[in-house]
Amino acid sequence: MKLLLSCAILLGSYGILAQTPLYIPPTIETSTIDLTLQNGTTQFYNGVTTNTMGANGSLLGPTLILNKDDQVTINVNNQLGEETTIHWHGLHVAPENDGGPHSIIPDGTIWSPQFTVLDQAGINWYHPHLHSTTNEHVSKGIAGLILVKDQEEAALTLPRDYGIDDFPIIVQTKGFTASGQIEWMSELDTSLMVNGTIDPYLDAPAQVVRLRLLNGSSQRFYKFGFSNNASFQLIGTDGGLLEAPVPLTRYQMGPGQRADILIDLSGIQGQNIQLMNFGSEIANAIYGASQPGMMPQLMLPGYDQNPLNGNDYTVLDIQVGAPTSNPVTTIPTNLTTHNIPQEGTEDITRSLLFNTQQNIVGPFTINGSLFDMNVINYTVPLGNREIWSLTNQTPIAHPFHIHDVQFYILDINGSPPPPELSGLNDVVMVPAGMGNVRFIADFLDHANDTIPYMYHCHMLTHEDEGMMGQFIVTDPNASVVENMSSLANVYPNPSNDVISVTHPRLKNAELTLVDITGSVIPISMALQSTDEGIINLSSIASGMYFLQFRFDSNYEVVKIEKL
Ligand code: C2O
Ligand code: CU
Ligand code: CU
């Protein structure tokens, strides 16, 4: 089976196999959005039934169209038979609405975040984020696009007829087992698909068309371009529009990244043009190149048997048809303005060092630690302007992602970013072998002393193995806080009724129990000694909670579960 699938890919890239029309996910544009997470089956290959997961269907999910400043409610109904979370990747929402690993949606329950859309027009996406299970749930199929619209973008002459001249393009690879089931732990992600369609073609009109590209792959980078080396215009990145279109013939995208591109198909009606991955041009030490590591001997299991690595092939065949009645034929020269914060105005620089426990295989650490749900790695005072300096001491590149904010890249290996990386982003590739990237970001909203935001590598295998950390944004006017790793112990955890709590400074601690929405739940503790106490949880509802140990100027948080 594996062999057959890889052959299918190779043949498909030369156009020998029958092609399938590109699936275009439906849209939801209302301010109340219902998403049901469900199991189903998908025939990626004729006659092969694969178990998959989707939102409102068996695979992927609808495209959510949001308007800036709208108040939205999203009801996420988990019918998967297991717990998960849903994260709105790229949206600037409060941590309790962000859907990170702490916001678990138990099976059979509905999670209903409500928020105001604060984001500029741009391309975002949603996907599960349950710690250590993110890759499985995304690989099995849960992911969808979020397109934000705003007035500034609406005033530009740009294609925006969804499915007509404005197309969602979710590029993913998956591995399959011999029996045709999705294999998410493998470097044999030999099946390339767009919007879940293998070997797809798209009918597009002979005019300027817009591709909303998402690299939704678990590990793979792509170097996108077109078959005839046509130049295209990059008009937006993760955080929205660039100041001006950037003409390119190649654009490299890591997992999690988005690109808003325009390609002018005017005058080529009746012809075909292919969106390609120029994998042979991806530099080594990037997943997708011929070598995933810095040296030939640094190999991942199965990597060199995967024909998608280091080769050039078609991602999407575009068949150019008649123009629409009101085609966009010109590309605006100015899109938006960016006020990039200058270095020197920051409140703090944080340094993050990526390291490895086993060369290219990982697990990979950040500042020597694997992710710990109970440790808040950074406390960011509300309003801070911060530089994060990321250094990669491992032999493979990592696409670093941060929640809550969009950032501006200050430099990559000491050089200012090229025009295509000068806009706002929430994912950036940190090159292997002591590569360094510095970005600057403002943390302006959403203080919450308890529920953290995540930062992590967006290679989902790396993330699941612990290449992740978390930060809280605190309001310095509300309380003085400072981070420390937890000395607290809580047992049993999970618990039915009575839990015992120990901490060397328990006597001086003020204890607060907070639920995952941030509401304080009244509790009382019976001190047994200076460092041990007992809390009765029998009257509180089942679910996840945070127990805060607050001292004069700092606090610690332990996550507990009431059964
Ligand atoms: Cu796209 Cu923390 O994730
Ligand atoms: Cu995210
Ligand atoms: Cu990584």
Side-chain angles (χ1 to χ4, degrees):
M1 181 52 131
K2 261 176 193 156
L3 201 65
L4 271 179
L5 295 181
S6 349
C7 289
I9 287 297
L10 285 180
L11 294 173
S13 63
Y14 296 100
I16 294 167
L17 286 191
Q19 294 181 310
T20 309
L22 179 70
Y23 171 69
I24 303 290
T27 57
I28 297 183
E29 293 200 48
T30 48
S31 59
T32 300
I33 296 164
D34 294 319
L35 291 179
T36 299
L37 308 180
Q38 56 194 79
N39 293 295
T41 60
T42 301
Q43 299 229 342
F44 291 101
Y45 295 96
N46 274 339
V48 182
T49 300
T50 303
N51 297 320
T52 52
M53 289 178 171
N56 301 357
S58 294
L59 188 73
L60 298 171
T63 297
L64 311 185
I65 299 188
L66 308 181
N67 294 297
K68 183 168 192 269
D69 300 326
D70 274 6
Q71 173 81 34
V72 298
T73 303
I74 311 182
N75 300 308
V76 185
N77 183 345
N78 178 6
Q79 295 296 329
L80 292 173
E82 58 189 280
E83 59 188 24
T84 192
T85 82
I86 291 289
H87 165 57
W88 321 107
H89 179 136
L91 294 188
H92 179 49
V93 297
E96 62 271 29
N97 295 324
D98 190 48
H102 295 277
S103 300
I104 291 174
I105 315 172
D107 176 42
T109 66
I110 299 175
W111 177 62
S112 299
Q114 293 191 353
F115 53 87
T116 303
V117 179
L118 300 174
D119 309 85
Q120 310 295 324
I123 309 165
N124 300 286
W125 65 302
Y126 58 94
H127 63 77
H129 213 305
L130 183 67
H131 183 48
S132 79
T133 312
T134 298
N135 189 21
E136 177 181 346
H137 287 174
V138 174
S139 296
K140 285 184 173 172
I142 304 178
L145 282 179
I146 304 173
L147 303 181
V148 176
K149 304 201 162 186
D150 68 8
Q151 289 175 358
E152 184 184 35
E153 190 265 358
L156 297 167
T157 309
L158 289 173
R160 59 174 75 78
D161 269 346
Y162 184 85
I164 308 284
D165 61 5
D166 181 359
F167 300 102
I169 307 286
I170 304 172
V171 182
Q172 295 177 303
T173 52
K174 298 186 196 295
F176 286 86
T177 65
S179 59
Q181 299 310 313
I182 291 166
E183 164 63 289
W184 59 92
M185 289 303 288
S186 163
E187 265 76 45
L188 280 164
D189 56 331
T190 52
S191 293
L192 175 69
M193 56 190 73
V194 181
N195 302 347
T197 311
I198 305 254
D199 196 23
Y201 73 87
L202 172 67
D203 286 319
Q207 62 201 57
V208 175
V209 302
R210 188 172 188 177
L211 304 181
R212 311 275 198 149
L213 275 165
L214 162 66
N215 179 353
S217 298
S218 295
Q219 307 200 75
R220 180 169 299 280
F221 287 73
Y222 302 89
K223 196 162 221 165
F224 291 114
F226 289 91
S227 45
N228 55 1
N229 280 323
S231 121
F232 56 92
Q233 307 281 334
L234 181 74
I235 61 166
T237 52
D238 298 340
L241 295 171
L242 293 163
E243 290 203 312
V246 177
L248 295 171
T249 56
R250 298 286 188 269
Y251 188 58
Q252 182 170 296
M253 290 175 72
Q257 284 187 284
R258 289 85 71 206
D260 201 343
I261 72 170
L262 301 179
I263 172 93
D264 191 353
L265 305 176
S266 306
I268 57 165
Q269 184 176 342
Q271 296 178 29
N272 283 33
I273 170 171
Q274 284 81 36
L275 174 68
M276 304 275 298
N277 176 31
F278 291 95
S280 68
E281 299 174 17
I282 298 176
N284 282 336
I286 295 173
Y287 193 107
S290 58
Q291 284 174 30
M294 297 178 69
M295 288 159 281
Q297 62 272 28
L298 291 173
M299 263 297 155
L300 292 162
Y303 187 89
D304 51 359
Q305 278 109 66
N306 187 335
L308 298 187
N309 294 326
N311 284 317
D312 301 344
Y313 41 84
T314 295
V315 174
L316 175 67
D317 186 23
I318 301 173
Q319 307 187 350
V320 185
T324 60
S325 55
N326 198 5
V328 173
T329 51
T330 57
I331 292 173
T333 49
N334 289 302
L335 301 166
T336 189
T337 45
H338 285 290
N339 296 310
I340 304 181
Q342 290 308 300
E343 182 167 7
T345 60
E346 73 279 7
D347 296 296
I348 191 175
T349 296
R350 301 188 193 275
S351 298
L352 288 78
L353 180 67
F354 307 162
N355 225 316
T356 173
Q357 297 191 342
Q358 213 196 122
N359 64 61
I360 193 177
V361 182
F364 301 97
T365 56
I366 300 177
N367 289 344
S369 304
L370 291 171
F371 180 62
D372 182 340
M373 291 279 268
N374 296 324
V375 173
I376 303 295
N377 301 92
Y378 296 114
T379 298
V380 175
L382 184 68
N384 245 29
R385 172 167 290 172
E386 305 205 342
I387 292 178
W388 286 38
S389 176
L390 315 169
T391 304
N392 179 4
Q393 200 176 300
T394 81
I396 185 169
H398 300 278
F400 182 87
H401 169 53
I402 185 169
H403 292 211
D404 181 26
V405 293
Q406 299 286 334
F407 53 74
Y408 290 103
I409 298 170
L410 287 174
D411 42 41
I412 301 172
N413 290 340
S415 305
E420 61 270 29
L421 294 178
S422 298
L424 285 165
N425 288 286
D426 58 48
V427 180
V428 63
M429 184 186 88
V430 187
M434 292 309 283
N436 174 267
V437 171
R438 293 188 317 144
F439 66 71
I440 191 164
D442 289 336
F443 295 76
L444 296 180
D445 308 286
H446 305 318
N448 183 318
D449 283 354
T450 306
I451 303 178
Y453 289 111
M454 302 294 127
Y455 56 85
H456 56 89
C457 176
H458 220 288
M459 290 172 79
L460 302 182
T461 45
H462 298 180
E463 173 190 342
D464 277 344
E465 286 171 354
M467 193 178 183
M468 178 155 69
Q470 50 191 354
F471 65 97
I472 51 170
V473 177
T474 61
D475 185 345
N477 297 318
S479 58
V480 185
V481 289
E482 153 191 317
N483 165 56
M484 53 188 290
S485 63
S486 187
L487 300 168
N489 253 305
V490 173
Y491 60 89
N493 187 13
S495 165
N496 261 319
D497 40 30
V498 174
I499 55 167
S500 162
V501 175
T502 63
H503 189 289
R505 294 194 293 145
L506 188 65
K507 197 165 72 68
N508 303 315
E510 188 193 312
L511 260 69
T512 312
L513 189 70
V514 179
D515 70 13
I516 60 163
T517 70
S519 307
V520 174
I521 311 295
I523 45 157
S524 63
M525 179 180 63
L527 263 187
Q528 306 297 105
S529 65
T530 55
D531 63 356
E532 184 174 3
I534 279 180
I535 300 171
N536 194 325
L537 299 177
S538 53
S539 61
I540 71 166
S542 302
M544 305 300 297
Y545 294 86
F546 303 89
L547 188 59
Q548 295 180 353
F549 295 72
R550 192 173 283 272
F551 303 96
D552 289 343
S553 60
N554 58 51
Y555 74 96
E556 301 169 27
V557 182
V558 172
K559 193 169 186 186
I560 61 174
E561 185 177 359
K562 167 71 194 301
L563 293 173

